[in-house]
Amino acid sequence: MGDERTDETFIITEMPAHAPPTPVRRAYVVVVAGHGMGEVFALDRTLTVGRGDDADVRVPDTGISRRHARFVVTGDHVIVEDLGSTNGTFVNGRRVSGQSILADGDRLQFGTLTVLRFEARGEADEAFQRRMFESASRDALTGTLNTRYFVERLDAEVAHASRHGAHLSLLLFDIDAFKAVNDTYGHPAGDRVLCGVAAVAAATVQPDGVLGRYGGDEFAVIVRSAGASAAVELAERLREAIATEPFDANETTVSVTVSVGVASIGPARTLTGAALIALADEALYRAKRGGRNRVEVDGIP
């Protein structure tokens, strides 16, 4: 199947002039707009950019070709090369024809939404950029993905599953009667319980799931390549693991349970990320109404 075309390509025109290329020892690119904003990729070898599964820098943007471009490290320089993409590769607003040697601070646009900045500096700068990405994408309390980044990731995973006719499931869960924990032991103790639940959930769903804090005491898990049956099995393991774990609440321990809602897509059922969240949320509330500490599922596609 050929690459999709789009009428919504936005060309960045107000960019600084292309600086003379300078020799570099350490180079990387930072995603400054689009999916994965803040993510850092070290350019220590040839890397391909595209939305295909085999791309080294995979960008789920429909305006990007499956094999869109590549970065080539040659001697002391880094080159970006367009691979015959549909919508083009742009450096500082100018379309690349063939290859272009990059200079520190160059901005690159791929497809309709994705913009990267080229950096040719030191390891300390790269470490700083990675810390900034972690800070931007992680929930400050639990260390899980924050709501914004989780929703972006879900949208990308749903789009990928829909294109390939693959299964994907979403688990949405929250702590039963969590207000009583805060009222009885205080909010600092409640925060410790939240962190404990997040840690147990992360250990239970890895490596199959991507965990995020969706808000308050509510968490969500993306499970790639899993239909409803497999997702329900994972949800039951998660529910049981949390129910049997004593959580630190400052000077005492408490036990909590969770209710879980499951929704899935597959070859016979395609939905948006928002629709998948809504269905999982409905299933979660059925679990609450059904007595809590249980799993409910929204059908099997």
Side-chain angles (χ1 to χ4, degrees):
M1 183 173 64
D3 292 317
E4 293 90 348
R5 293 180 179 271
T6 177
D7 295 327
E8 297 182 355
T9 300
F10 300 100
I11 309 304
I12 299 174
T13 56
E14 295 183 1
M15 293 292 173
H18 193 290
T22 53
V24 297
R25 293 183 180 179
R26 185 77 174 179
Y28 52 95
V29 285
V30 182
V31 182
V32 297
H35 176 76
M37 186 171 60
E39 195 163 0
V40 179
F41 296 93
L43 298 177
D44 51 6
R45 59 186 175 87
T46 297
L47 298 179
T48 58
V49 180
R51 58 181 171 82
D53 291 336
D54 58 345
D56 298 303
V57 182
R58 185 176 172 276
V59 184
D61 174 357
T62 56
I64 289 182
S65 299
R66 289 175 176 80
R67 294 185 74 253
H68 193 101
R70 67 182 169 194
F71 295 103
V72 180
V73 181
T74 171
D76 290 330
H77 299 295
V78 175
I79 293 170
V80 63
E81 178 184 8
D82 186 79
L83 298 177
S85 65
T86 300
N87 292 318
T89 299
F90 297 82
V91 177
N92 297 332
R94 292 190 293 272
R95 185 162 186 162
V96 172
S97 176
Q99 297 182 336
S100 178
I101 298 176
L102 297 176
D104 184 35
D106 279 351
R107 292 171 69 92
L108 301 99
Q109 181 181 353
F110 304 99
T112 59
L113 301 173
T114 304
V115 180
L116 284 68
R117 184 177 68 249
F118 175 73
E119 301 280 356
R121 300 179 183 176
E123 293 186 25
D125 294 290
E126 181 180 352
F128 172 76
Q129 291 290 349
R130 291 189 185 279
R131 288 195 300 273
M132 290 295 290
F133 171 65
E134 286 296 310
S135 176
S137 63
R138 297 285 172 178
D139 174 60
L141 177 64
T142 64
T144 63
L145 293 181
N146 61 33
T147 304
R148 175 183 173 184
Y149 191 79
F150 182 86
V151 170
E152 286 185 1
R153 178 68 177 270
L154 177 63
D155 287 340
E157 295 288 356
V158 165
H160 178 266
S162 297
R163 283 198 304 272
H164 294 274
H167 291 282
L168 181 137
S169 292
L170 176 70
L171 278 56
L172 201 60
F173 68 95
D174 70 5
I175 302 172
D176 296 323
F178 183 64
K179 183 178 183 298
V181 175
N182 284 327
D183 291 345
T184 303
Y185 303 101
H187 287 278
D191 286 348
R192 294 175 75 90
V193 172
L194 278 174
C195 291
V197 167
V200 171
T204 303
V205 305
Q206 290 177 350
D208 305 308
V210 177
L211 175 66
R213 186 179 181 189
Y214 195 65
D217 62 318
E218 194 169 28
F219 296 86
V221 183
I222 302 167
V223 193
R224 296 184 71 182
S225 303
S229 297
V232 167
E233 291 180 6
L234 178 60
E236 288 288 2
R237 293 200 304 271
L238 173 65
R239 182 196 60 76
E240 183 176 356
I242 292 172
T244 56
E245 179 78 14
F247 294 103
D248 178 20
N250 290 335
E251 297 181 354
T252 187
T253 58
V254 299
S255 296
V256 298
T257 61
V258 296
S259 297
V260 190
V262 178
S264 302
I265 60 174
R269 186 194 204 189
T270 58
L271 299 168
T272 64
L276 195 61
I277 289 173
L279 290 175
D281 194 49
E282 290 176 7
L284 170 59
Y285 277 96
R286 284 201 303 275
K288 292 288 191 184
R289 292 193 298 268
R292 301 175 179 172
N293 189 25
R294 58 187 290 131
V295 175
E296 289 286 344
V297 60
D298 175 71
I300 299 177

